[in-house]
Amino acid sequence: MSKQNSSGAISIAPFRYALAVEYVGAAYRGWQLQAHDKVPTIQAEVERALSVVANHPVQVVCAGRTDAGVNASHQVIHFDSWAERDERAWVLGTNCHLPDDISIKWATVVPGCFHARFSARERRYRYLIYTSPSRPAVLAEGVTWTHRTLNTERMQEAAEHLLGEHDFTSYRAVGCQARSPVREIRKLSVYQSGRLVVIDVSANAFLHHMVRNIAGVLMAVGAGDRSPDWALEVLQARDRRQGGVTAPPDGLYFVDVRYPDIFRLPPSDPGPYFLS
């Protein structure tokens, strides 16, 4: 890629940068820019801050868009810029212009063939459920609260039915625009960490509301409202109406993305940081 200036000289190709972004989604209508510029989104804030550091308008591409209220501890983005800045300057400079609920974790130069979305081989989410008779006050917007006791062994038994490649029509939003409902879940584990029940899921890609719908089914199983086999029944129905309640966005975190080793991205720290 090259650029011709007003004198006709050909300049070198722009740099392509990859960054990891962490954010709390409670105050935003999701990652993606909205048609109405007064709607707050994470993408809008990140592009605004990066544009200040780059000294020109910047457009970014993310590994996976998140919905309103959803959080991220390791979202990966890329953008192109003619501005030459060292990695520390991109991180510290951009963070100076971001609100407190969004932060750049690292930045690095990547080859021009790198694409935050299309180069990704696997994405990972964690869903955090705070189990307690009383609602939490600390980090209340970072977890989903239930006063009921959840049996993680039953939830794990149900989760086993969802491993592998399947048609996840029953586990996606009715308005999901993905052309195919087929996805491959490569890992799905449920475990207890203090008062938190953690649903940890990795797949080649996810459908709209897929993780929240899985969480809703597993929570019903864990609470004893349904048997573990219900997760399979829902899957085989291929009908969203059979899938029960969509779990709230508060406890959902985009925590990791896997790329081919050739890109040599910094090691990930899935998080969120308070999860032991």
Side-chain angles (χ1 to χ4, degrees):
M1 185 175 182
S2 61
K3 180 179 180 181
Q4 189 173 39
N5 60 29
S6 58
S7 66
I10 304 297
S11 57
I12 61 172
F15 298 97
R16 177 157 291 188
Y17 296 97
L19 288 75
V21 188
E22 178 179 86
Y23 52 84
V24 177
Y28 302 96
R29 291 289 296 275
W31 167 267
Q32 190 175 17
L33 282 171
Q34 302 291 317
H36 197 302
D37 60 5
K38 292 185 178 180
V39 174
T41 68
I42 294 110
Q43 183 179 0
E45 293 291 342
V46 170
E47 289 185 347
R48 178 188 59 79
L50 284 170
S51 297
V52 174
V53 179
N55 199 30
H56 66 77
V58 167
Q59 292 182 322
V60 305
V61 176
C62 72
R65 294 178 295 183
T66 51
D67 294 334
V70 175
N71 315 290
S73 60
H74 194 83
Q75 170 74 271
V76 174
I77 65 174
H78 85 259
F79 68 94
D80 294 334
S81 175
W82 299 92
E84 186 174 2
R85 310 279 188 268
D86 64 34
E87 296 169 1
R88 180 178 173 83
W90 283 117
V91 173
L92 298 182
T94 305
N95 283 341
C96 284
H97 298 282
L98 284 170
D100 291 342
D101 50 9
I102 305 175
S103 179
I104 304 300
K105 298 173 67 177
W106 52 253
T108 188
V109 177
V110 290
C113 61
F114 175 84
H115 194 284
R117 178 185 175 192
F118 297 127
S119 298
R121 295 294 176 262
E122 184 173 285
R123 296 159 177 86
R124 181 179 177 185
Y125 283 87
R126 281 175 171 165
Y127 195 86
L128 308 185
I129 308 159
Y130 181 78
T131 58
S132 173
S134 59
R135 62 175 177 80
V138 177
L139 297 178
E141 292 180 329
V143 296
T144 290
W145 168 60
T146 179
H147 67 278
R148 308 180 73 180
T149 299
L150 299 179
N151 185 316
T152 55
E153 292 183 0
R154 286 171 55 87
M155 295 172 73
Q156 184 62 56
E157 184 180 347
E160 299 294 328
H161 293 301
L162 304 181
L163 289 171
E165 186 176 84
H166 303 285
D167 180 329
F168 282 97
T169 296
S170 295
Y171 287 92
R172 71 169 175 172
V174 173
C176 178
Q177 298 180 357
R179 282 179 285 184
S180 171
V182 176
R183 295 292 186 270
E184 181 190 4
I185 292 184
R186 296 168 180 172
K187 174 188 174 184
L188 179 49
S189 60
V190 183
Y191 61 91
Q192 190 95 25
S193 177
R195 287 193 176 274
L196 291 177
V197 169
V198 182
I199 300 172
D200 195 330
V201 55
S202 300
N204 60 337
F206 289 90
L207 301 162
H208 190 201
H209 285 177
M210 181 173 167
V211 179
R212 290 170 59 190
N213 290 333
I214 289 173
V217 166
L218 296 185
M219 289 174 70
V221 171
D225 296 334
R226 297 282 190 164
S227 71
D229 288 342
W230 184 54
L232 179 59
E233 294 171 11
V234 170
L235 180 71
Q236 293 176 335
R238 298 183 182 180
D239 181 354
R240 174 64 201 126
R241 294 171 296 179
Q242 306 301 316
V245 175
T246 300
D250 311 64
L252 184 57
Y253 292 79
F254 188 105
V255 300
D256 204 4
V257 196
R258 289 184 58 189
Y259 294 97
D261 293 340
I262 58 170
F263 295 121
R264 299 183 179 180
L265 296 185
S268 60
D269 180 17
Y273 71 87
F274 58 84
L275 182 63
S276 59

Coordinates of all heavy atoms in Angstrom, one line a residue, residues 128-148 194-197 219 248 250-251 253 274:
L128 N -19.8 -14.2 34.5 CA -19.6 -14.2 35.9 C -20.9 -14.0 36.6 O -21.6 -13.0 36.4 CB -18.6 -13.1 36.3 CG -17.3 -13.1 35.6 CD1 -16.4 -12.0 36.3 CD2 -16.6 -14.4 35.6
I129 N -21.3 -15.0 37.5 CA -22.5 -15.0 38.2 C -22.2 -14.9 39.7 O -21.5 -15.8 40.2 CB -23.3 -16.2 37.9 CG1 -23.5 -16.4 36.4 CG2 -24.7 -16.2 38.6 CD1 -23.9 -17.9 36.0
Y130 N -22.7 -13.9 40.4 CA -22.4 -13.7 41.8 C -23.6 -14.3 42.5 O -24.7 -13.9 42.4 CB -22.3 -12.2 42.1 CG -22.1 -11.9 43.6 CD1 -20.8 -12.0 44.1 CD2 -23.1 -11.5 44.4 CE1 -20.5 -11.8 45.5 CE2 -22.9 -11.2 45.7 CZ -21.6 -11.3 46.3 OH -21.4 -11.0 47.6
T131 N -23.3 -15.3 43.3 CA -24.3 -16.1 44.1 C -24.3 -15.7 45.5 O -23.3 -15.9 46.2 CB -24.1 -17.6 43.9 OG1 -22.9 -17.9 44.4 CG2 -24.2 -18.0 42.5
S132 N -25.4 -15.0 46.0 CA -25.5 -14.6 47.4 C -26.9 -14.2 47.7 O -27.7 -13.8 46.8 CB -24.6 -13.3 47.5 OG -24.8 -12.7 48.8
P133 N -27.3 -14.4 49.0 CA -28.7 -14.0 49.3 C -29.0 -12.5 49.1 O -30.1 -12.2 48.9 CB -28.8 -14.4 50.8 CG -27.7 -15.4 51.0 CD -26.6 -15.0 50.1
S134 N -28.0 -11.7 49.2 CA -28.2 -10.3 49.0 C -27.4 -9.8 47.8 O -26.3 -10.3 47.5 CB -27.7 -9.5 50.3 OG -26.4 -9.7 50.6
R135 N -27.9 -8.7 47.2 CA -27.2 -8.2 46.0 C -25.9 -7.5 46.3 O -25.7 -7.0 47.4 CB -28.1 -7.2 45.3 CG -28.4 -6.0 46.1 CD -29.3 -5.0 45.3 NE -29.6 -3.8 46.1 CZ -28.8 -2.8 46.4 NH1 -27.6 -2.8 45.9 NH2 -29.3 -1.8 47.1
P136 N -24.9 -7.6 45.4 CA -23.6 -6.9 45.7 C -23.7 -5.4 45.5 O -24.5 -4.9 44.7 CB -22.7 -7.6 44.6 CG -23.6 -7.8 43.5 CD -24.9 -8.2 44.1
A137 N -22.9 -4.7 46.2 CA -22.7 -3.2 46.0 C -21.4 -3.0 45.2 O -21.4 -2.1 44.3 CB -22.8 -2.5 47.3
V138 N -20.4 -3.7 45.6 CA -19.1 -3.5 44.9 C -19.1 -4.3 43.6 O -19.5 -5.4 43.5 CB -17.9 -4.0 45.8 CG1 -16.6 -3.9 45.1 CG2 -17.9 -3.3 47.1
L139 N -18.7 -3.6 42.5 CA -18.6 -4.1 41.2 C -20.0 -4.7 40.8 O -20.0 -5.7 40.0 CB -17.6 -5.2 41.1 CG -16.1 -4.7 41.3 CD1 -15.2 -5.9 41.2 CD2 -15.7 -3.7 40.3
A140 N -21.1 -4.1 41.2 CA -22.4 -4.6 40.9 C -22.7 -4.7 39.4 O -23.4 -5.5 38.9 CB -23.5 -3.8 41.6
E141 N -22.1 -3.7 38.6 CA -22.3 -3.7 37.2 C -21.4 -4.7 36.4 O -21.4 -4.7 35.2 CB -22.2 -2.3 36.7 CG -23.3 -1.4 37.1 CD -23.1 0.0 36.6 OE1 -22.0 0.5 36.4 OE2 -24.2 0.7 36.4
G142 N -20.5 -5.4 37.2 CA -19.6 -6.3 36.5 C -19.9 -7.7 36.7 O -19.1 -8.6 36.3
V143 N -21.0 -8.0 37.3 CA -21.4 -9.4 37.5 C -22.9 -9.5 37.4 O -23.6 -8.5 37.4 CB -21.1 -9.9 38.9 CG1 -19.5 -10.0 39.1 CG2 -21.7 -9.1 40.0
T144 N -23.4 -10.7 37.1 CA -24.8 -11.0 37.2 C -25.2 -11.6 38.5 O -24.5 -12.6 38.9 CB -25.3 -11.9 36.0 OG1 -25.1 -11.2 34.8 CG2 -26.7 -12.4 36.2
W145 N -26.1 -11.1 39.2 CA -26.4 -11.6 40.6 C -27.6 -12.5 40.6 O -28.6 -12.3 39.9 CB -26.7 -10.4 41.5 CG -27.3 -10.8 42.8 CD1 -26.8 -11.6 43.8 CD2 -28.6 -10.4 43.3 NE1 -27.6 -11.8 44.8 CE2 -28.7 -11.0 44.6 CE3 -29.7 -9.6 42.9 CZ2 -29.9 -10.9 45.4 CZ3 -30.8 -9.5 43.6 CH2 -30.9 -10.1 44.9
T146 N -27.5 -13.6 41.4 CA -28.7 -14.4 41.7 C -28.6 -14.8 43.1 O -27.6 -15.0 43.7 CB -28.7 -15.7 40.8 OG1 -29.8 -16.5 41.2 CG2 -27.4 -16.5 41.0
H147 N -29.8 -14.8 43.8 CA -29.9 -15.1 45.2 C -30.0 -16.7 45.3 O -29.9 -17.2 46.4 CB -31.1 -14.5 45.8 CG -32.4 -15.1 45.3 ND1 -33.0 -14.6 44.1 CD2 -33.2 -16.0 45.7 CE1 -34.1 -15.3 43.9 NE2 -34.3 -16.1 44.9
R148 N -30.1 -17.4 44.2 CA -30.2 -18.8 44.3 C -28.9 -19.5 44.2 O -27.9 -19.0 43.7 CB -31.1 -19.3 43.1 CG -32.4 -18.6 42.9 CD -33.2 -19.0 41.8 NE -33.7 -20.4 42.0 CZ -34.5 -21.0 41.1 NH1 -34.7 -20.5 39.9 NH2 -35.0 -22.2 41.4
G194 N -14.8 -18.6 44.7 CA -15.5 -17.8 45.8 C -17.0 -17.8 45.6 O -17.6 -18.9 45.4
R195 N -17.6 -16.7 45.6 CA -19.0 -16.6 45.4 C -19.4 -16.5 43.9 O -20.5 -16.4 43.5 CB -19.6 -15.3 46.1 CG -19.7 -15.5 47.6 CD -20.6 -14.5 48.3 NE -20.8 -14.7 49.7 CZ -21.7 -15.4 50.2 NH1 -22.5 -16.1 49.4 NH2 -21.8 -15.6 51.5
L196 N -18.4 -16.5 43.1 CA -18.6 -16.4 41.6 C -18.7 -17.7 41.0 O -17.9 -18.6 41.2 CB -17.5 -15.6 40.9 CG -17.4 -14.1 41.2 CD1 -16.1 -13.5 40.5 CD2 -18.6 -13.4 40.8
V197 N -19.7 -17.9 40.2 CA -19.8 -19.1 39.3 C -19.4 -18.6 37.9 O -19.9 -17.6 37.4 CB -21.2 -19.7 39.2 CG1 -21.3 -20.7 38.1 CG2 -21.6 -20.3 40.5
M219 N -27.9 -21.5 33.9 CA -28.3 -21.1 35.2 C -29.6 -21.8 35.6 O -29.8 -22.1 36.8 CB -28.5 -19.5 35.2 CG -27.2 -18.8 35.1 SD -27.5 -17.0 34.9 CE -28.2 -16.5 36.5
P248 N -28.6 -11.5 31.6 CA -28.2 -10.1 31.5 C -26.8 -9.9 31.0 O -25.9 -10.8 31.1 CB -28.3 -9.6 33.0 CG -29.2 -10.6 33.7 CD -28.9 -11.9 33.0
D250 N -24.5 -7.8 32.1 CA -23.6 -7.3 33.1 C -22.4 -8.2 33.4 O -21.2 -7.8 33.6 CB -24.3 -7.0 34.5 CG -25.5 -6.2 34.3 OD1 -26.5 -6.7 33.6 OD2 -25.6 -5.1 34.8
G251 N -22.6 -9.5 33.5 CA -21.6 -10.5 33.8 C -20.8 -11.0 32.7 O -19.9 -11.9 32.9
Y253 N -18.0 -11.0 29.7 CA -16.7 -10.4 29.4 C -16.1 -11.1 28.2 O -16.0 -12.3 28.1 CB -15.7 -10.6 30.6 CG -16.0 -9.8 31.8 CD1 -17.0 -10.2 32.7 CD2 -15.3 -8.6 32.1 CE1 -17.3 -9.5 33.8 CE2 -15.7 -7.8 33.2 CZ -16.6 -8.3 34.1 OH -16.9 -7.6 35.2
F274 N -10.0 -9.2 38.6 CA -10.4 -9.6 40.0 C -10.8 -11.0 40.1 O -11.1 -11.5 41.2 CB -11.5 -8.7 40.4 CG -12.8 -8.7 39.6 CD1 -13.7 -9.7 39.7 CD2 -13.0 -7.8 38.6 CE1 -14.8 -9.8 38.9 CE2 -14.1 -7.8 37.8 CZ -15.0 -8.8 37.9

